[in-house]
């Protein structure tokens, strides 16, 4: 199982593991303002989607860091879920759960 699977997944029997950020996330995504590889970097993004949570588009899950205060997480689901009959009853946008910690800045 996976703990993050939101949109951007090609509906096949074995979908590829891929994560995307920013403007690549147009349907379902979570929002972590200023999220990225390091807190406060200029290359950070707000939107994250795919079958992996990543700070840089790719195929390996990554930790997201943010420095914006107050810390917030937003969710955008647009009701255009992709369901596939093969395998029967497969939901391609399954949702997510997050584990987070706060550290002193």
């Amino acid at each position: 199982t996976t703990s993050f699977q939101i949109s951007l997944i090609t509906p096949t029997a074995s979908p590829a593991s891929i994560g995307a950020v920013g403007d690549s996330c147009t349907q379902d995504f979570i929002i972590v303002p200023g999220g990225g590889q390091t807190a406060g970097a200029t290359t950070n993004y707000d939107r994250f989607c795919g079958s992996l949570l990543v700070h840089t588009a790719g195929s390996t899950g990554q930790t997201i860091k943010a420095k914006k205060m107050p810390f917030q997480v937003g969710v955008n689901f647009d009701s255009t879920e992709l369901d596939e009959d093969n395998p029967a009853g497969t939901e391609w946008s399954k949702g997510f759960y997050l584990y987070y910690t706060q550290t002193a800045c």
Side-chain angles (χ1 to χ4, degrees):
T1 63
T2 181
S3 62
F4 190 84
Q5 193 163 324
I6 302 174
S7 200
L8 195 72
I9 304 159
T10 302
T12 64
S14 299
S17 294
I18 187 169
V21 297
D23 292 340
S24 297
C25 301
T26 60
Q27 294 177 332
D28 298 337
F29 51 87
I30 67 166
I31 303 163
V32 179
Q37 183 175 10
T38 60
T42 58
T43 57
N44 290 357
Y45 298 94
D46 292 337
R47 292 184 279 180
F48 303 87
C49 64
S51 59
L52 298 168
L53 183 59
V54 298
H55 54 70
T56 305
S59 59
T60 303
Q62 302 160 338
T63 299
I64 305 298
K65 297 180 180 178
K67 190 175 182 179
K68 299 261 182 171
M69 292 179 63
F71 176 73
Q72 298 178 359
V73 174
V75 178
N76 181 76
F77 291 139
D78 67 357
S79 73
T80 59
E81 303 306 311
L82 295 174
D83 290 327
E84 183 67 26
D85 292 335
N86 187 10
T90 301
E91 173 63 58
W92 296 106
S93 201
K94 294 183 179 183
F96 65 94
Y97 70 84
L98 298 176
Y99 171 79
Y100 74 95
T101 59
Q102 271 186 289
T103 58
C105 295

